[in-house]
Amino acid sequence: MTTTRAGILIFTAAVLTGPWYSVAEYNPLTHVISLLGAQNTPNSFIMVAGFLALGFSIFIDGMREFNKPVIPFMAFGIFMGLAGLLAHKPIAPSLAHNELMHQAHSLLATLAGISITVGLLWQAALLPASWRRIMTIVLAVLCFALPLSMLAFEDSQGLIQRCMYLLIFAWLWNYYPFKLQKSRERKTNA
């Protein structure tokens, strides 16, 4: 089992068990995953550990198989881990929280989304024309479109985000890092 697969399993376990260890108001259909690790939230360390496990496992596997196309995925891992450390604001608006930390979390989550999208598009560009190339392009488009749809459908944010993570994790599980296409180095005669 790759380190990334272990990280995916740990993250997924933290997400699936979240409604039992978090606040009673937490609803997985409407609330984003980050709220499980939010500031001033009971047992938030469980989701923080999930973010760290996922992020750093992706980074470690990238270091093992280092090649230029791995860089955006490694960045995704770093941004995910850091987003877990810099916590989201809590569900209850009355609870005290550090707004700067919340804003940093949002920025890191955005950077994670950009980096995974860039990584997927880079992979698609390296792949020969095939169903796998089409699938990778479609996933990259969804990594852009689904977060936008979360803004439009606030009552379904949690469900939309979970679907997006499921798709990303399925791709990472099957292709990262050992089945990534490597850069085609061009050798020129000088």
Side-chain angles (χ1 to χ4, degrees):
M1 175 181 292
T2 66
T3 307
T4 297
R5 287 180 176 181
I8 289 170
L9 292 174
I10 292 167
F11 184 91
T12 302
V15 170
L16 292 176
T17 59
W20 290 285
Y21 67 74
S22 191
V23 294
E25 299 85 9
Y26 186 83
N27 181 336
L29 299 178
T30 58
H31 294 118
V32 295
I33 292 167
S34 293
L35 286 169
L36 294 171
Q39 301 172 45
N40 295 316
T41 299
N43 303 309
S44 61
F45 69 92
I46 297 170
M47 193 65 243
V48 170
F51 273 106
L52 289 171
L54 176 69
F56 292 108
S57 67
I58 291 170
F59 180 80
I60 289 167
D61 274 346
M63 289 299 294
R64 287 184 186 147
E65 291 293 313
F66 189 77
N67 191 281
K68 288 178 190 174
V70 176
I71 293 171
F73 296 101
M74 292 172 62
F76 171 72
I78 290 170
F79 293 138
M80 288 295 287
L82 291 174
L85 285 177
L86 298 170
H88 196 285
K89 65 182 179 182
I91 290 176
S94 60
L95 289 175
H97 68 278
N98 181 321
E99 185 62 26
L100 183 60
M101 185 182 287
H102 171 70
Q103 293 299 326
H105 172 87
S106 296
L107 174 63
L108 290 163
T110 299
L111 291 172
I114 291 168
S115 61
I116 191 76
T117 303
V118 167
L120 290 166
L121 290 172
W122 193 343
Q123 279 301 292
L126 293 174
L127 287 165
S130 66
W131 68 270
R132 185 172 162 203
R133 178 187 228 179
I134 293 167
M135 176 188 66
T136 303
I137 292 169
V138 167
L139 183 55
V141 170
L142 288 173
C143 285
F144 178 78
L146 289 175
L148 292 177
S149 71
M150 289 169 60
L151 298 173
F153 303 102
E154 289 184 21
D155 290 342
S156 301
Q157 283 184 344
L159 178 62
I160 294 167
Q161 186 184 50
R162 283 162 174 77
C163 289
M164 179 179 66
Y165 275 120
L166 177 67
L167 294 169
I168 292 169
F169 289 169
W171 192 93
L172 290 170
W173 187 277
N174 287 303
Y175 301 112
Y176 184 81
F178 304 109
K179 293 183 184 175
L180 285 185
Q181 292 297 119
K182 308 291 186 198
S183 286
R184 294 180 198 121
E185 301 294 332
R186 292 189 178 140
K187 296 182 181 181
T188 58
N189 295 332

